[in-house]
Amino acid sequence: MSENKRKTDGRDRSRRRFRPVSVLCPRCSMNEKLRKIQDGTPIWGQRQIDGPGVWVTCVKGKEKQTVGELYELFESLANELWPTDTAEAADAQGESDEEDGGADDLEKQIAKEVASMKRPRKETRFANCLTNTPCVVFISCKPPVDPVKLVTTHVENVMKTGVTQTRHRLTPVSGSCVANISEIQSLCSRIVKAALAAEPDKKFTYKIELRMRNHNTLTRDKLIPELAKCVPEGHTVSLDNPELFILVEVFKSVCGISVVKDYYKLQKFNVMEIANAKNLRDEGAEGRVADKTKDAPTSSPVGGAGNEEKP
């Protein structure tokens, strides 16, 4: 009897050892680090996919590594495109601390270290949003960061140098909404209007590039005509050589939209394909998407669309 009781206690202890942490003290500062979702994986980003950002397709099992690489890359680009005074002030203060460090005694140096630890944490411009799907990552961007300009700058740098710091396909979106017709139309109208505001008198040709993943509520045949209604009159569809591309990314219950130029020239923001095309061009060859207009689709009701992809 006692042996059976000891075996039962051992099994109970083993269950408790692997039980995910679901109830924690609300006053504990370690809750965010210890809290786990039901499958036992730690939370390493915000839950809700919202706002402007960048969709990323990566290798399965490399999601965390991808997030780290993109944080470093995006912060470097953002510091060049949207420099902040706080970063410069922090650098200047750090230099002054180093100059005075030799004269201060040990206690003052410790006091400085403690003060720097208590300094309010700088707000990050990028945040990873959980997708709960392998191979798919979403990095949210906060103002003044423009995801389209951010990704375009990175892609242009890769085209010039042939060197890429990542191996992922990037899709910037200027805004996100719930994936239903009314919300998508409202978001599309705002983004298209803002994109056309720079040249209000010019009439553009455009094409709709739609990609749907893990979504079965809306169909392509129903969504593309509704998106075309959001484009003002006078602008025409061109499947062969469009000037503007309306990128629409539907993932689960979220839809993201952006307007970009030279989408095919920039190899659909596939940095690995761009780097390979650069190296091949040096040898007199071309990338497989370098001249996309030659084999663009010729039949569509109101605009082109990309192929559906599933991770």
Side-chain angles (χ1 to χ4, degrees):
M1 185 68 180
S2 59
E3 293 181 358
N4 293 335
K5 185 177 181 180
R6 284 196 295 271
K7 291 181 180 179
T8 303
D9 292 341
R11 287 195 295 268
D12 290 341
R13 284 193 296 270
S14 64
R15 294 192 192 102
R16 288 194 295 269
R17 186 183 306 164
F18 296 100
R19 187 175 301 163
V21 179
S22 58
V23 179
L24 297 173
C25 175
R27 297 182 180 180
C28 181
S29 60
M30 297 295 292
N31 284 355
E32 294 299 328
K33 296 182 179 179
L34 297 178
R35 186 176 290 113
K36 296 176 180 294
I37 55 179
Q38 293 302 318
D39 61 357
T41 58
I43 294 176
W44 42 281
Q46 65 184 38
R47 286 186 173 276
Q48 186 176 4
I49 300 175
D50 189 19
V54 181
W55 287 99
V56 185
T57 303
C58 64
V59 178
K60 185 177 181 180
K62 301 293 184 179
E63 292 82 8
K64 284 189 178 182
Q65 180 180 347
T66 299
V67 171
E69 293 175 355
L70 293 176
Y71 275 165
E72 183 178 357
L73 172 63
F74 288 172
E75 282 291 348
S76 175
L77 292 172
N79 290 334
E80 297 177 2
L81 298 173
W82 304 279
T84 58
D85 297 335
T86 56
E88 297 176 358
D91 295 340
Q93 184 176 1
E95 293 177 358
S96 63
D97 290 345
E98 291 178 359
E99 293 176 357
D100 299 338
D104 293 341
D105 56 11
L106 181 61
E107 294 182 359
K108 291 184 178 181
Q109 292 181 11
I110 295 176
K112 287 181 180 180
E113 293 292 337
V114 174
S116 63
M117 294 173 62
K118 293 182 178 179
R119 191 177 304 160
R121 187 176 182 181
K122 181 182 176 182
E123 184 178 1
T124 59
R125 289 177 284 190
F126 304 98
N128 174 56
C129 301
L130 290 181
T131 62
N132 295 324
T133 302
C135 308
V136 181
V137 173
F138 182 78
I139 304 295
S140 175
C141 303
K142 297 181 180 179
V145 177
D146 178 10
V148 175
K149 186 176 181 179
L150 182 74
V151 173
T152 303
T153 302
H154 173 53
V155 171
E156 290 175 350
N157 292 340
V158 175
M159 292 187 71
K160 293 177 183 178
T161 62
V163 178
T164 174
Q165 301 179 20
T166 60
R167 295 180 290 178
H168 319 298
R169 178 176 176 177
L170 309 175
T171 304
V173 291
S174 300
S176 303
C177 67
V178 180
N180 60 58
I181 294 296
S182 60
E183 294 289 339
I184 292 175
Q185 283 185 323
S186 176
L187 177 63
C188 185
S189 298
R190 295 196 306 269
I191 293 177
V192 171
K193 183 179 180 180
L196 300 176
E199 299 177 85
D201 299 330
K202 184 177 180 180
K203 302 302 180 183
F204 292 91
T205 57
Y206 70 93
K207 181 179 180 181
I208 299 173
E209 283 281 339
L210 172 63
R211 181 165 64 167
M212 307 179 74
R213 294 182 289 184
N214 294 21
H215 180 86
N216 54 13
T217 303
L218 301 175
T219 61
R220 302 172 62 85
D221 295 338
K222 182 178 180 181
L223 184 56
I224 292 178
E226 298 297 332
L227 290 168
K229 295 177 182 178
C230 302
V231 182
E233 295 182 359
H235 304 279
T236 57
V237 174
S238 174
L239 303 181
D240 298 328
N241 189 23
E243 299 172 294
L244 297 179
F245 292 84
I246 302 176
L247 305 184
V248 182
E249 187 86 12
V250 179
F251 176 78
K252 293 184 178 180
S253 61
V254 180
C255 176
I257 301 176
S258 63
V259 178
V260 302
K261 295 181 179 180
D262 301 327
Y263 186 54
Y264 289 152
K265 180 181 178 181
L266 299 178
Q267 305 277 20
K268 292 187 174 183
F269 300 148
N270 189 330
V271 291
M272 281 303 297
E273 182 64 26
I274 292 169
N276 293 336
K278 167 67 176 175
N279 297 330
L280 291 174
R281 252 195 321 270
D282 294 340
E283 301 174 359
E286 295 181 352
R288 63 180 176 87
V289 200
D291 192 7
K292 180 67 177 179
T293 57
K294 292 183 179 180
D295 50 16
T298 57
S299 61
S300 179
V302 288
N307 295 329
E308 295 184 19
E309 297 186 8
K310 294 185 179 179

